[in-house]
């Protein structure tokens, strides 16, 4: 089978190789991967910024979807032909995250190769079925960014109709956050770098948009749009460049889901956090139980992810370069 392998950090070192097709163990399903999607984390892993001590070679990319091609002797939950997605956190099934689970993310280490290969074997507990209304390409967008946005707003955030949600930028997490917030009847204020992307956000249901390039003090605009009260929830993906502004944008007693560091890690002033009784909650994707609840809701409303662009398997490096440029709106998919 063909697989992409990274034997040295740097996108120029990501190459297609011939590899052995895995043989599923007794508790495993063998999945013929049909599509994969990109996350910002994949760029960090490939460049060596995610974990400079990571053991190589590694097959990158955490998010994929495919068809069960073979099953091990003990497998009962799936059969050949079923459509599945591997979990991002392979060993987080329910309850609180623990250390072993947190170290089981796909595509982040040589012990847990990712999905940029034609076949991969997973424990049957570590995959989940694809809703009928979704294609492989659409399903491949869900395991990381959709579940992260869901956890931030629903499991952790408990978002309610009538509340206001602030999203930052138009990458994978933020676009799912817009869709999920609207699904729960919340009002959405969304920031972005361009008026063209702002128009797309409006078309997707965002109530207000702010161009953070032409309005660098966008936190003042957020307060103006919320009668000087602030928003109930912030889906914080920016890190250093945005966290202080996010703190200034949230209402007293509101919550900030700390998810990402697109602009680097941040050092913050803690005083406004306790003076204004703000809740800061770190989010690490989500458990299989959360994924199941999200899929039930997506199935009920026939939710479709926003795919910006699709690339062929052989053009995976072009897809990653396209992501690096930050021109995308939503998800970038690789079709096998
Ligand atoms: N904790 C977790 O479990 C978890 C899970 C998933 C992702 N993450 C993290 O969340 C972040 C987003 O991931 P992603 O995959 O959604 O990324 P992505 O798709 O690559 O999103 C990139 C987009 O974010 C916007 N952006 C870039 N820099 C920004 C800034 N300084 N301020 C505001 N917006 C900015 C840009 O959109 P505009 O042009 O519209 O501004 C850009 O196109 C990353 O840091 C990632 O590592 C964490």
């Amino acid at each position: 089978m063909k697989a992409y392998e990274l034997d040295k950090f740097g996108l120029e070192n990501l190459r297609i190789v011939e590899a052995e097709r895995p043989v599923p163990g007794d508790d495993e399903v063998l999945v013929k991967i049909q599509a994969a999607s990109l996350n910002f984390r994949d760029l960090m892993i490939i460049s060596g910024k995610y974990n400079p001590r990571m053991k190589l070679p590694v097959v990158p990319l955490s998010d994929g979807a495919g068809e069960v091609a073979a099953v091990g002797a003990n497998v009962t939950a799936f059969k050949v032909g079923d459509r599945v997605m591997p979990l991002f956190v392979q060993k987080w099934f329910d309850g609180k995250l623990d250390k072993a689970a947190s170290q089981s993310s796909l595509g982040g280490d040589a012990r847990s190769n990712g999905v940029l290969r034609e076949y991969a074997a997973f424990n049957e507990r570590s995959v989940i079925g694809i809703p009928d209304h979704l294609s492989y390409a659409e399903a491949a967008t869900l395991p990381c960014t959709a579940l992260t946005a869901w956890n931030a707003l629903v499991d952790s955030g408990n978002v309610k109709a009538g509340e206001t949600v602030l999203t930052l930028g138009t990458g994978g997490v933020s676009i799912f956050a817009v869709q999920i917030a609207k699904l729960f009847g919340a009002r959405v204020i969304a920031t972005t770098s361009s008026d063209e992307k702002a128009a797309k956000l409006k078309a997707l249901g965002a109530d207000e948009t702010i161009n953070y390039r032409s309005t660098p003090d966008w936190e003042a605009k957020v307060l103006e749009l919320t009668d000087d009260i602030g928003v109930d929830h912030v889906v914080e993906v920016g890190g250093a460049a945005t966290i202080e502004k996010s703190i200034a944008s949230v209402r007293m007693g509101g919550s900030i889901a700390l998810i990402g560091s697109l602009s680097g890690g941040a050092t913050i002033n803690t005083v406004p956090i306790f003076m204004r009784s703000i809740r800061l909650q770190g989010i690490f994707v989500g458990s299989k139980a959360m994924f199941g609840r999200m899929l039930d809701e997506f199935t009920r409303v026939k939710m479709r992810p926003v795919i910006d662009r699709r690339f062929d398997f052989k053009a995976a490096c072009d897809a990653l370069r396209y992501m690096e440029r930050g021109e995308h709106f939503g998800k970038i998919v690789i079709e096998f």
Side-chain angles (χ1 to χ4, degrees):
M1 69 165 192
K2 296 205 177 347
Y4 275 86
E5 211 175 74
L6 185 76
D7 58 1
K8 261 195 288 200
F9 291 124
L11 187 48
E12 66 284 5
N13 300 314
L14 182 63
R15 292 197 190 89
I16 297 183
V17 298
E18 276 301 322
E20 288 281 308
R21 184 190 294 192
V23 176
D26 286 349
D27 301 317
E28 289 183 331
V29 294
L30 178 71
V31 180
K32 183 175 193 315
I33 308 287
Q34 304 280 2
S37 86
L38 301 188
N39 293 301
F40 187 75
R41 169 180 180 265
D42 302 320
L43 288 177
M44 294 181 73
I45 285 172
I46 291 167
S47 67
K49 288 183 195 143
Y50 188 78
N51 174 9
R53 293 188 307 279
M54 184 174 132
K55 287 207 171 57
L56 298 175
V58 69
V59 177
L61 267 55
S62 57
D63 285 16
E67 184 181 337
V68 174
V71 297
N74 300 335
V75 169
T76 55
F78 297 100
K79 59 182 187 320
V80 170
D82 284 349
R83 300 180 340 127
V84 297
M85 299 163 273
L87 306 180
F88 177 95
V89 190
Q90 285 276 291
K91 294 181 185 165
W92 189 12
F93 303 111
D94 203 355
K96 286 202 190 308
L97 180 68
D98 61 31
K99 193 169 175 194
S102 77
Q103 291 172 341
S104 68
S105 314
L106 273 184
D109 155 330
R111 289 165 301 178
S112 154
N113 275 321
V115 298
L116 199 49
R117 49 182 165 155
E118 290 178 316
Y119 290 87
F122 306 99
N123 188 289
E124 66 166 330
R125 292 185 72 200
S126 302
V127 301
I128 193 164
I130 297 174
D132 288 344
H133 75 284
L134 295 176
S135 66
Y136 283 118
E138 289 169 326
T141 67
L142 302 180
C144 179
T145 46
L147 184 53
T148 301
W150 173 273
N151 182 3
L153 287 174
V154 184
D155 276 276
S156 164
N158 196 20
V159 66
K160 302 249 175 12
E163 290 186 328
T164 303
V165 172
L166 172 66
T167 61
L168 309 179
T170 56
V173 174
S174 304
I175 293 299
F176 277 118
V178 172
Q179 291 179 291
I180 292 166
K182 291 313 297 177
L183 188 59
F184 280 76
R187 173 188 181 208
V188 172
I189 301 176
T191 72
T192 183
S193 61
S194 77
D195 293 345
E196 194 194 340
K197 287 183 176 182
K200 289 186 184 174
L201 279 165
K202 282 268 170 104
L204 192 66
D207 299 275
E208 268 99 18
T209 60
I210 307 172
N211 182 325
Y212 63 80
R213 292 248 162 85
S214 54
T215 310
D217 296 332
W218 49 263
E219 68 280 22
K221 184 71 186 168
V222 173
L223 290 178
E224 188 188 312
L225 290 170
T226 54
D227 298 330
D228 238 13
I229 292 172
V231 300
D232 299 282
H233 305 267
V234 184
V235 182
E236 167 52 57
V237 294
T242 56
I243 183 65
E244 301 276 5
K245 291 171 182 290
S246 291
I247 290 169
S249 300
V250 76
R251 67 179 296 153
M252 287 211 180
S255 9
I256 301 179
L258 284 178
I259 294 172
S261 49
L262 284 165
S263 57
T267 308
I268 54 172
N269 174 10
T270 54
V271 176
I273 299 168
F274 57 79
M275 289 303 286
R276 295 181 40 240
S277 190
I278 296 167
R279 175 172 167 260
L280 261 79
Q281 175 65 55
I283 298 290
F284 186 66
V285 193
S287 66
K288 185 177 188 180
M290 292 176 199
F291 203 166
R293 291 193 285 273
M294 180 183 84
L295 293 179
D296 287 347
E297 190 58 19
F298 282 14
T299 302
R300 192 182 67 77
V301 300
K302 302 284 179 286
M303 164 85 86
R304 303 207 96 97
V306 176
I307 297 179
D308 173 274
R309 210 167 142 182
R310 298 164 192 244
F311 291 81
D312 283 340
F313 180 76
K314 59 181 184 312
C317 294
D318 294 339
L320 285 153
R321 275 185 214 104
Y322 177 66
M323 181 175 228
E324 237 169 11
R325 294 204 294 276
E327 290 163 10
H328 59 287
F329 181 93
K331 297 299 290 182
I332 301 163
V333 167
I334 295 171
E335 290 183 305
F336 286 40

